[in-house]
Amino acid sequence: MTARKILIVDDDQKIRSLLKTYLEKNQYEVLLAHDGASFMAEFERHRDEISLCILDVMLPDTEGFTLCQSVRRRSEVPVIMLTASADETDRIVGLELGADDYLGKPFNPRELLARIKAITRRAGQDKPREPRYYDFNGFTLDLLERSLIDPDGAATALSGMDFQLLKLLVEHPGEVLDRSRLAEVTRGRDLGPLDRSLDVQVSRLRQRLRDDGKQPALIKTVRGSGYVFSTTVTARNAL
């Protein structure tokens, strides 16, 4: 299992070291930043991998509130704010700006861990997150828009069956998918012995992918079995 990645910004080196050691013992991967600039650099570099951000309110070059706003403009990743201030206003402002939780300093690392677990459960991060995009051979399949983006940047909406077929293929590159499984996913039923509708659908999809029907390089026929998507596929969650 891939470690969940947490990005922490705090100008106190002791707190950074304490949290890194404690969270890594609890199976998290920790990225550290000491000010706003280094935080944003790490956030942009690892945006698709970060499960949660922990932001100190008072930083040498900016406020955690400002960073929270920047994160919210780019992502829905959960945010916990940390502050040494006893002012209730800080908590209210942080939550209004999109923070998911707030913890005052000094704090018990066990309480912070409990809050992290609660937030990631609510965010559904205990389940594998499905990518939004699949890239292959210059094409991109957008799962949210249910569209195919060609190498020229043009997007085409896919029908329900074509979308389900391509989605299954890109999720299992290099794997032979038998005809009955493909038919079940795209049609919800098995194929009769003379039913060629799946072959017609594959032919149509090959045309969309500019794949030679006589000598296909992407969707290859496996005699007596089914089809295999024969190319490298890269999954991602953001453009």
Side-chain angles (χ1 to χ4, degrees):
M1 177 179 174
T2 302
R4 293 151 295 179
K5 191 170 292 186
I6 294 178
L7 175 56
I8 299 171
V9 58
D10 197 299
D11 61 346
D12 189 319
Q13 193 273 333
K14 291 184 178 179
I15 290 179
R16 293 198 305 271
S17 297
L18 169 67
L19 292 181
K20 181 177 176 64
T21 300
Y22 186 77
L23 292 174
E24 286 181 344
K25 286 181 179 179
N26 285 276
Q27 310 306 311
Y28 289 91
E29 183 178 343
V30 178
L31 301 173
L32 298 176
H34 63 279
D35 60 15
S38 59
F39 169 86
M40 289 308 303
E42 286 295 293
F43 182 79
E44 293 296 345
R45 188 176 298 118
H46 301 279
R47 185 193 303 187
D48 295 340
E49 309 160 27
I50 295 171
S51 297
L52 183 139
C53 294
I54 298 175
L55 311 178
D56 186 19
V57 170
M58 298 302 295
L59 295 166
D61 58 344
T62 188
E63 288 186 327
F65 301 134
T66 302
L67 296 182
C68 185
Q69 287 181 301
S70 296
V71 168
R72 277 292 160 266
R73 285 195 293 267
R74 295 164 169 80
S75 171
E76 292 300 316
V77 64
V79 171
I80 294 177
M81 305 290 295
L82 300 178
T83 182
S85 172
D87 191 345
E88 184 78 2
T89 302
D90 276 1
R91 183 180 70 83
I92 295 171
V93 170
L95 296 175
E96 287 179 342
L97 292 176
D100 297 88
D101 205 348
Y102 175 101
L103 195 59
K105 294 181 178 180
F107 57 87
N108 188 320
R110 290 181 62 185
E111 181 181 0
L112 177 61
L113 178 62
R115 295 192 184 208
I116 290 171
K117 289 181 176 179
I119 289 173
T120 53
R121 277 197 302 270
R122 292 199 300 269
Q125 291 180 6
D126 289 341
K127 301 177 182 178
R129 187 167 63 158
E130 183 180 67
R132 174 174 174 177
Y133 303 99
Y134 285 93
D135 301 318
F136 57 91
N137 279 55
F139 289 88
T140 296
L141 177 64
D142 184 337
L143 298 191
L144 182 61
E145 297 293 335
R146 299 172 72 92
S147 65
L148 179 66
I149 304 170
D150 68 24
D152 301 318
T156 303
L158 298 177
S159 69
M161 288 191 295
D162 285 356
F163 172 77
Q164 293 297 339
L165 175 59
L166 183 54
K167 180 175 183 289
L168 186 60
L169 291 170
V170 299
E171 288 177 339
H172 301 276
E175 180 180 335
V176 177
L177 302 174
D178 63 59
R179 293 171 58 83
S180 61
R181 181 179 180 186
L182 294 172
E184 180 65 31
V185 168
T186 58
R187 288 165 172 74
R189 60 176 174 81
D190 202 355
L191 295 173
L194 301 178
D195 190 340
R196 310 308 299 174
S197 58
L198 177 61
D199 304 297
V200 173
Q201 185 183 356
V202 169
S203 177
R204 184 170 63 242
L205 191 55
R206 282 172 173 159
Q207 291 179 1
R208 291 189 182 278
L209 299 177
R210 305 174 187 177
D211 200 15
D212 187 343
K214 294 182 179 180
Q215 292 184 317
L218 288 178
I219 307 176
K220 295 183 177 181
T221 302
V222 180
R223 298 291 182 187
S225 297
Y227 296 93
V228 60
F229 200 59
S230 186
T231 190
T232 300
V233 178
T234 302
R236 56 189 170 89
N237 284 295
L239 287 171

